[in-house]
Amino acid sequence: MHKTLAFLLFLLPGLALGQGRLSGVVQDSATHQPLAFSSVFLANTTLGATTDDQGRFEFPKVPAGTYEAVGTYVGYRLSKQTITIGKAAAPQQLTFLLGSAGPQLGEVVVQANPHREEDFKKFTSYFLGESTFSQQCHITNPKDIVVYTNDSTKELTAAAKNFVQVENEALGYRLKYFGMFFTYNPETDFVAFSGSPVFEEMTPRDAAQQRQWEANRATAYIGSFPHFLRSVYTGQLRANGFMAQQVRIMPNKRFERLEPLSRRPAGSLTDAEQDSLEVLGKLAPAFATLYPAARSLDSLRRVADGRVYLRFTGELQVAHFGEAPDRNYSEPMATLGPEPRKQPYPAQREVSRLRLQTREAEIRPNGTLRNPADVSTGEYWGFEKMGEFLPLDYQPPVLAPTPAK
């Protein structure tokens, strides 16, 4: 099951707590001359602006929240600043100083070398995903992307000097992913990518397509990891149809005893050891035990000084009820603990796994995580990728409570 680390936490809609005004200027870092017609955007949103002939820009209405503001211009390096818009914030002024885009020590240098078709297909599969919505996503500038497979580690990496452009025909968004860097490790089956994306609303053919996009966006949001995070922050976990259970991972002692055989040269093994090595291939390295009781909200978060932290130990299994999984999801859905006759559950559900990479992860007021790398996901949430990617300023429809059983 593919796991996703970086992009999942960029999806969550901001909480409509107020609006603020943001303006500023974009300049050359060496000469301080204005850069006319450069682009400024708030990453992971549909909010973007183009500077005038004096390098000035303005966002008259920015929803309250914390954002990564990005300045970009052809031939220059990206410039980023973290900003916070409060409930009744005073207007903010930013200055972006953009430097030359020449390569620096330690930077991944993207060259115009053709990539192998096989590598590019793997990249698009892991980056875009395989869901019904992902199959309606298309990369429109494939020649700007360099994909590389390390012959030794077999790790797959991809990068673009400027941006990767994706058109999502299912959700009606055109996405430019600036500074994208992607990696896939086949040994751990782990996918991660990072960068600064900006969304643009596509123009629908007619009113019917607009309604379909709105319905698809709601489908992508409901039950997603961003929906879960927002539910934890607002204290509406059960009301929004989520149930979290503790998973305990126990190592398989038999696997641990036999695993050293796999590192020995084949010619050095006795017949008995060779037989044991064949058994090893049929063993799981660990066993997972699921505790049937649902975790309470207070056991999953810590609230202190007006801040909310996602906090738990080990792994969680998180189920969302009322939504059927995507038809392209081929894995069997995980169990839910008690037998159905003892505690019935709705037949339609999506089951995911969640692990903290640190002791706790702070959830910002707009529902995102301060550090996306603090969390990794698997199973159903690991299956959802670019096809379900929504901007921060997406506002979901008002949903009726669907409490978990």
Side-chain angles (χ1 to χ4, degrees):
M1 185 59 57
H2 305 314
K3 301 175 183 177
T4 305
L5 174 62
F7 90 89
L8 286 172
L9 306 184
F10 295 142
L11 314 185
L12 192 61
L15 307 179
L17 299 175
Q19 293 181 329
R21 179 174 171 271
L22 179 67
S23 61
V25 64
V26 181
Q27 300 175 344
D28 182 293
S29 63
T31 67
H32 290 274
Q33 292 298 309
L35 295 177
F37 311 113
S38 56
S39 297
V40 179
F41 62 89
L42 303 186
N44 310 290
T45 76
T46 59
L47 302 175
T50 300
T51 61
D52 62 16
D53 56 2
Q54 297 299 312
R56 294 174 300 202
F57 66 90
E58 181 179 6
F59 294 89
K61 295 181 179 180
V62 179
T66 300
Y67 301 92
E68 179 187 70
V70 182
T72 178
Y73 191 71
V74 176
Y76 287 77
R77 298 172 62 82
L78 296 179
S79 178
K80 305 178 184 180
Q81 298 184 42
T82 299
I83 62 168
T84 298
I85 304 295
K87 296 181 181 180
Q92 292 194 46
Q93 292 277 336
L94 296 180
T95 297
F96 288 100
L97 300 176
L98 274 58
S100 169
Q104 295 185 358
L105 184 64
E107 179 188 10
V108 175
V109 180
V110 179
Q111 300 175 344
N113 295 330
H115 45 244
R116 294 189 302 177
E117 187 64 25
E118 179 184 356
D119 289 342
F120 187 76
K121 286 183 178 179
K122 287 181 181 179
F123 161 68
T124 56
S125 174
Y126 296 132
F127 180 65
L128 299 180
E130 299 177 347
S131 70
T132 302
F133 291 164
S134 291
Q135 290 177 343
Q136 299 177 62
C137 293
H138 310 282
I139 295 175
T140 61
N141 61 335
K143 292 183 179 180
D144 295 337
I145 305 169
V146 172
V147 185
Y148 172 74
T149 297
N150 187 298
D151 291 334
S152 177
T153 65
K154 304 304 179 183
E155 184 175 74
L156 182 73
T157 59
K161 186 174 183 179
N162 292 316
F163 56 81
V164 178
Q165 180 163 295
V166 178
E167 291 193 356
N168 188 334
E169 295 286 351
L171 303 185
Y173 290 117
R174 181 177 295 107
L175 174 71
K176 290 183 178 180
Y177 215 119
F178 286 86
M180 188 279 298
F181 183 74
F182 167 96
T183 181
Y184 168 66
N185 187 322
E187 182 176 345
T188 60
D189 204 26
F190 191 81
V191 174
F193 49 97
S194 60
S196 300
V198 61
F199 292 78
E200 176 187 346
E201 294 266 5
M202 296 171 64
T203 302
R205 293 187 304 270
D206 49 34
Q209 185 176 48
Q210 182 63 45
R211 289 194 296 270
Q212 186 62 61
W213 283 346
E214 291 171 359
N216 289 351
R217 291 170 187 178
T219 297
Y221 173 71
I222 298 170
S224 65
F225 181 55
H227 188 195
F228 170 79
L229 276 181
R230 183 173 185 177
S231 300
V232 171
Y233 186 88
T234 60
Q236 297 177 309
L237 200 63
R238 288 180 58 85
N240 288 341
F242 288 100
M243 180 181 72
Q245 296 169 283
Q246 186 69 44
V247 177
R248 185 182 182 189
I249 306 298
M250 297 291 293
N252 186 337
K253 298 298 184 181
R254 191 178 181 193
F255 182 92
E256 289 183 345
R257 290 196 301 270
L258 297 179
E259 197 273 335
L261 295 177
S262 65
R263 298 193 293 269
R264 286 174 52 185
S268 68
L269 299 177
T270 66
D271 290 344
E273 288 173 334
Q274 187 64 44
D275 291 342
S276 297
L277 190 60
E278 293 178 4
V279 172
L280 176 66
K282 302 176 183 179
L283 297 177
F287 300 109
T289 302
L290 181 67
Y291 288 86
R295 292 282 299 266
S296 68
L297 176 67
D298 290 340
S299 72
L300 300 176
R301 69 174 189 172
R302 181 174 72 89
V303 181
D305 299 326
R307 296 183 176 183
V308 179
Y309 301 85
L310 186 65
R311 186 175 187 178
F312 58 88
T313 58
E315 261 186 45
L316 294 182
Q317 176 175 286
V318 181
H320 182 263
F321 301 96
E323 282 281 302
D326 189 281
R327 64 175 179 266
N328 290 341
Y329 186 69
S330 59
E331 298 293 327
M333 202 59 71
T335 59
L336 295 174
E339 296 180 9
R341 69 174 185 273
K342 295 181 180 179
Q343 189 170 344
Y345 294 97
Q348 292 186 329
R349 63 181 187 269
E350 300 164 349
V351 184
S352 306
R353 293 282 277 273
L354 179 63
R355 175 186 288 273
L356 283 175
Q357 302 299 320
T358 186
R359 185 180 181 185
E360 60 184 12
E362 183 179 349
I363 307 176
R364 287 170 165 166
N366 65 359
T368 61
L369 291 187
R370 183 169 296 276
N371 182 8
D374 286 344
V375 179
S376 62
T377 62
E379 296 195 18
Y380 197 75
W381 284 338
F383 169 75
E384 296 182 316
K385 292 191 173 66
M386 198 57 62
E388 291 70 34
F389 196 6
L390 292 165
L392 275 167
D393 50 330
Y394 166 73
Q395 291 297 326
V398 177
L399 306 175
T402 55
K405 302 294 182 181

